Amino acid sequence: MPDRAGSHAPSPTPLVLVVEDEFLLAMELEAIILAQGWQVLGPVTSVEEALDLLGTRLPDVAVLDVNLHGVMVTPVAEALARQNIPFVLVTAYQPSRLQGNAVLAEAVNIGKPVGERRLVQAIVRVMRA
């Protein structure tokens, strides 16, 4: 697996990992990302699938739903954080429900329903940070 220690500059066509268990929303996220001229990794619908995928290919940034079929996405967020890969949360969870989970509580959360402009701005912002 490539070493991502320190900051990394995203490629001109960033690879965006999408982790979302709602099929229609996953397709919407994919369409928004592709419309920006970016690439999509996934979408995947479970923590296990996401971790398996991260074992083979690292994205430049990720978009994560917090609750995947009743399982918190925390292990994926922690794996991304260890590789210094930024991510954005797309969840209906209120920020107060994420307290006590540092890796999720500190993340940019654009909420649901997803607005195209909000999603794109959040991805760009975390990639520049």
Side-chain angles (χ1 to χ4, degrees), residues 12-37:
T13 56
L15 181 61
V16 183
L17 171 63
V18 175
V19 181
E20 171 59 62
D21 62 348
E22 293 178 36
F23 178 77
L24 293 177
L25 182 52
M27 295 301 100
E28 179 183 354
L29 294 171
E30 183 176 34
I32 292 168
I33 292 163
L34 291 173
Q36 295 302 307

Side-chain angles (χ1 to χ4, degrees), residues 3-62:
D3 182 12
R4 294 270 177 133
S7 64
H8 99 239
S11 65
T13 56
L15 181 61
V16 183
L17 171 63
V18 175
V19 181
E20 171 59 62
D21 62 348
E22 293 178 36
F23 178 77
L24 293 177
L25 182 52
M27 295 301 100
E28 179 183 354
L29 294 171
E30 183 176 34
I32 292 168
I33 292 163
L34 291 173
Q36 295 302 307
W38 301 338
Q39 302 172 63
V40 174
L41 184 59
V44 295
T45 61
S46 71
V47 167
E48 182 178 281
E49 286 178 293
L51 292 174
D52 286 347
L53 195 53
L54 289 173
T56 61
R57 188 153 184 212
L58 294 177
D60 294 298
V61 64

Side-chain angles (χ1 to χ4, degrees), residues 97-121:
R97 288 196 62 195
L98 301 176
Q99 295 305 315
N101 186 327
V103 71
L104 297 180
E106 295 171 6
V108 173
N109 181 354
I110 66 166
K112 285 184 179 176
V114 175
E116 179 176 353
R117 184 173 175 217
R118 235 176 338 136
L119 175 64
V120 170
Q121 287 175 338

Side-chain angles (χ1 to χ4, degrees), residues 3-10 83-86 127-129:
D3 182 12
R4 294 270 177 133
S7 64
H8 99 239
Q83 294 294 328
N84 295 312
I85 299 170
M127 283 193 301
R128 289 182 180 159

